[in-house]
Amino acid sequence: MPIWLSYIVVLTIFNAVVFYIGFTTGKWFFHSKTTFKKIYLIIFILLANVLMFGTMSESVYLRAGSAYWMAFFYVLFLTVPILHILIFFSRYSKIKRIQAEKWAAIITILMVVVVFVYGTYNAYTPIVRSHEVNVKKENTNNLNIVMVADTHFGLLSGKGHAENMVEEINKLKPDLVLIPGDIVDDSINQYVEQGMTEVLAKIDSVYGVYASLGNHDLGDINELIKTLEKSNVNVLYDESVEVADAIMLIGRKDRTDQDRLPLSKLTENIDQTKPVLLLDHQPYELDIAKNEGIDLMVSGHTHRGQLAPFHLFTERIYENDWGYLKKGKLHSIVTSGYGFWGPPIRTSSQSEIVQIQLNY
């Protein structure tokens, strides 16, 4: 199928769904007020199309509007068909159709409010999750590691969110901070303009902050890395480094990067008598990591679905889509992330910071 025809098919299906939701909710909200229903439907369709393409806009404000629209449309997409079915079956009860439609309108509005309130709370109120990892090596020691990922710093995951993160990290008194990817949201511009360079530089860690890049860390990679280095963030871009003469750190390019080296190349000269830690944004290839002698692999990317019921899909796509998994000698920890993609709303996960007690 030619790509232009694919676009037409997708756009047709999208607008059919938009028309159905707009027409149905308009009928519930306005009942016999035909003029209001028509105006509402036209505005609904226009907004849906403008804001859908707004996700690709250079305007951060239009993209922000599109993000909130995505959340609004997501609620309607899940709620309206179910209510429509219930209204259909209400004809077999004593409930009048107009009453059923009024209740459907009230429930729809309540669902939007509940999801936005609950989801916003989850997005902007981080919690700390803790894991203990025991690795058998020659020495006996321990390390307090703090890990965050998917901060997606931009307009909506802004300076205040970054300041809160730094404050929470510093409370945990980390020996080492790891950030496995998606630090910015497609562009470094908002990160710089909002002064987040200086904010992240305030992270207080004994052995420093190390990061790998993710699929949303886009733009001029050299500029991005230089900017992050001004925040005292050491970016490992298919590189390895020894930290504190005690552990080996490997940071991989994202798997979307076609120049990414195979893990076997990155482990060639690694001292495996010491704990080997891998930062890999997307939690794939756990078997390869295990076979290459990786002790601890930290990842993000999944957001644990971010919006229910998408967590049901991430559970099936990834061997470990969230939390802790031990596979042989490999310990895999995947965070649901500190920021968010698109709308600042989480219903299947909560913003989190991960604390790892590494014993070796």
Side-chain angles (χ1 to χ4, degrees), residues 148-153 157 179-186 211-218 224 228 254 256 281-282 300-303 337-341:
V148 289
D150 300 284
T151 51
H152 286 272
F153 288 132
S157 180
I179 310 177
D182 277 3
I183 301 165
V184 300
D185 196 32
D186 297 340
S212 61
L213 299 184
N215 57 302
H216 282 277
D217 294 314
L218 302 175
L224 175 61
L228 293 173
D254 185 69
T256 56
H281 177 61
Q282 301 190 42
H301 183 66
T302 71
H303 295 218
Y338 182 80
F340 34 80
W341 181 82

Side-chain angles (χ1 to χ4, degrees), residues 17-26 28-29 40 44-45 47-48 68-84 104-113 115-116 307-308:
V17 174
V18 168
F19 179 86
Y20 162 70
I21 292 175
F23 180 83
T24 304
T25 54
W28 295 349
F29 294 150
Y40 170 82
F44 192 87
I45 293 172
L47 269 178
Y68 277 106
W69 170 261
M70 285 168 58
F72 176 68
F73 192 73
Y74 146 79
V75 178
L76 296 184
F77 183 78
L78 294 181
T79 305
V80 171
I82 296 172
L83 292 174
H84 201 172
I106 292 168
I107 292 169
T108 300
I109 293 168
L110 284 174
M111 283 297 296
V112 170
V113 172
V115 168
F116 269 65
L307 297 172

